[in-house]
């Protein structure tokens, strides 16, 4: 007669001890993928909400249809993701500020928008200008003053005007003795 019982008396390993080698990496990748998808969804919704905002869409449409901008950048003009954006609503007044890169076949530029809206009124643009790669600026507002625009640039003198001489550094006057000289008023 055989004295060994039927079956093994060795305890069976649990589910975790048999499967942990694939559960841990798959779980970590799943968490990372979920966070990535959530992040992309939030960024996408943010960009979509900005692009549906009246100040953004109106300003981009004005810039894309402006003859000077089309001449400088070429056509068609594409917009990139806003570099800076801020929208603030307080007591029915909305203030929006955007910096949007523009890409044309001939050159690139940046659209600057600073707009205010009171209630359901139209957007009023305090700044609506395109800055080109060479530093020149095109003001796109209908009521743009002929004075310097919202982004003042350095004035360059005309070619026929002589430049003023640079100011002399202090202490180079011939009548003033050099520092540390024997003619100093201070005695040690």
């Amino acid at each position: 007669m055989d004295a060994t019982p039927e079956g093994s008396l060795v305890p069976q390993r649990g589910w975790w001890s048999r499967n942990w080698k694939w559960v841990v990496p798959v779980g970590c990748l799943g968490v990372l993928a979920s966070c990535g998808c959530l992040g992309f969804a939030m960024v996408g919704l943010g960009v979509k909400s900005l692009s549906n905002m009246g100040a953004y869409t109106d300003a981009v449409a004005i810039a894309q249809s402006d003859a000077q901008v089309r001449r400088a950048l070429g056509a068609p003009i594409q917009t990139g993701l806003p570099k800076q954006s801020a929208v603030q609503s307080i007591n029915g007044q909305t203030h929006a500020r955007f910096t949007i890169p523009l890409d044309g076949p001939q050159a690139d530029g940046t659209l600057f928008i600073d707009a205010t809206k009171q209630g359901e009124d139209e957007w009023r643009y305090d700044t609506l200008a395109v800055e080109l790669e060479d530093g020149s600026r095109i003001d796109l507002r209908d009521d743009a003053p002929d004075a310097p625009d919202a982004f003042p640039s350095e004035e360059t003198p005309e070619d026929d005007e002589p430049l003023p001489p640079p100011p002399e550094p202090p202490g180079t006057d011939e009548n003033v003795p050099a520092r540390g000289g024997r003619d100093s008023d201070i005695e040690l």
Side-chain angles (χ1 to χ4, degrees):
M1 195 172 207
D2 191 15
T4 59
E6 291 183 22
S8 172
L9 294 178
V10 177
Q12 292 288 331
R13 293 186 338 182
W15 182 88
W16 179 254
S17 63
R18 290 189 319 257
N19 298 308
W20 73 270
K21 291 180 183 176
W22 65 268
V23 170
V24 171
V26 169
C28 291
L29 289 176
V31 169
L32 287 175
S34 298
C35 291
C37 289
L38 181 64
F40 281 123
M42 290 178 70
V43 168
L45 288 174
V47 170
K48 184 176 181 181
S49 68
L50 285 177
S51 64
N52 288 338
M53 179 173 239
Y56 180 95
T57 55
D58 293 348
V60 168
I62 291 169
Q64 289 176 336
S65 64
D66 187 72
Q68 283 183 307
V69 174
R70 292 175 69 100
R71 199 173 320 118
L73 302 181
I77 300 171
Q78 302 295 323
T79 61
L81 293 176
K83 291 181 181 177
Q84 296 176 350
S85 61
V87 180
Q88 182 179 19
S89 293
I90 299 176
N91 296 331
Q93 182 177 15
T94 305
H95 184 79
R97 181 174 281 179
F98 301 105
T99 303
I100 304 165
L102 299 176
D103 182 31
Q106 297 173 355
D108 294 336
T110 305
L111 176 62
F112 293 95
I113 306 166
D114 190 3
T116 306
K117 179 179 178 181
Q118 182 69 40
E120 297 297 319
D121 294 344
E122 294 281 322
W123 285 97
R124 181 178 52 82
Y125 294 99
D126 299 321
T127 302
L128 182 59
V130 173
E131 182 175 323
L132 304 175
E133 289 175 323
D134 63 359
S136 61
R137 294 168 180 86
I138 302 170
D139 196 340
L140 302 174
R141 295 178 296 161
D142 289 335
D143 60 343
D146 292 335
D149 59 0
F151 303 103
S153 60
E154 294 181 16
E155 295 290 327
T156 55
E158 297 296 324
D159 291 335
D160 53 339
E161 293 182 24
L163 291 174
E168 299 215 8
T172 57
D173 190 13
E174 295 173 5
N175 299 330
V176 177
R179 287 190 185 181
R182 295 181 184 224
D183 295 337
S184 175
D185 292 341
I186 301 174
E187 293 183 21
L188 299 176

